[in-house]
Amino acid sequence: MREPQKPAWSVEGQTESVAVGAISRVKVIYEGETVDADEMEFKAVAEPPISYQLNDGTIIEIKHEVKKVYRLCDNRKADGSPIYLLNGAAHVRTETPKDSDEGHAN
């Protein structure tokens, strides 16, 4: 049986806040290393759902809900811009046509 894949990042613990706009300073696991990150304040500007239609007519609607935003303190992208990590959830809703299950085993 395959080992479950570890997440690329996770939050370990909270310490003192130092960054402007930050709620708190936390330790996160990013690419296998423990690094400092600031939990950032944010507000949703728009949270529209994204919809996809399958060949059988099924509509899948996905809405992402961001609960926390972290900005890494000492790690940067190659171009020098900050790295942000998001903690949230994806909400999925489907609409399946009544005749889409024809010919499929249950």
Side-chain angles (χ1 to χ4, degrees):
M1 181 180 286
R2 286 180 34 187
E3 289 286 319
Q5 217 174 13
K6 292 183 180 178
W9 68 275
S10 63
V11 176
E12 279 190 350
Q14 233 172 291
T15 61
E16 189 175 316
S17 175
V18 295
V20 174
I23 297 170
S24 63
R25 171 76 47 97
V26 298
K27 297 282 187 187
V28 300
I29 303 297
Y30 177 70
E31 295 184 345
E33 294 184 30
T34 301
V35 299
D36 289 327
D38 290 324
E39 181 180 343
M40 304 302 294
E41 293 184 77
F42 71 96
K43 66 177 181 176
V45 177
E47 292 182 326
I50 300 169
S51 297
Y52 301 92
Q53 184 169 19
L54 306 181
N55 290 340
D56 68 357
T58 299
I59 303 289
I60 298 175
E61 184 177 274
I62 302 170
K63 182 175 181 181
H64 293 278
E65 175 188 12
V66 175
K67 296 180 180 181
K68 294 187 178 190
V69 176
Y70 301 98
R71 181 177 61 203
L72 300 187
C73 295
D74 299 320
N75 300 69
R76 298 278 179 167
K77 295 180 186 178
D79 67 1
S81 61
I83 297 173
Y84 292 91
L85 305 177
L86 305 177
N87 181 337
H91 303 281
V92 180
R93 185 179 69 82
T94 60
E95 288 180 28
T96 307
K98 290 181 182 184
D99 63 346
S100 70
D101 285 335
E102 288 180 15
H104 294 301
N106 291 331

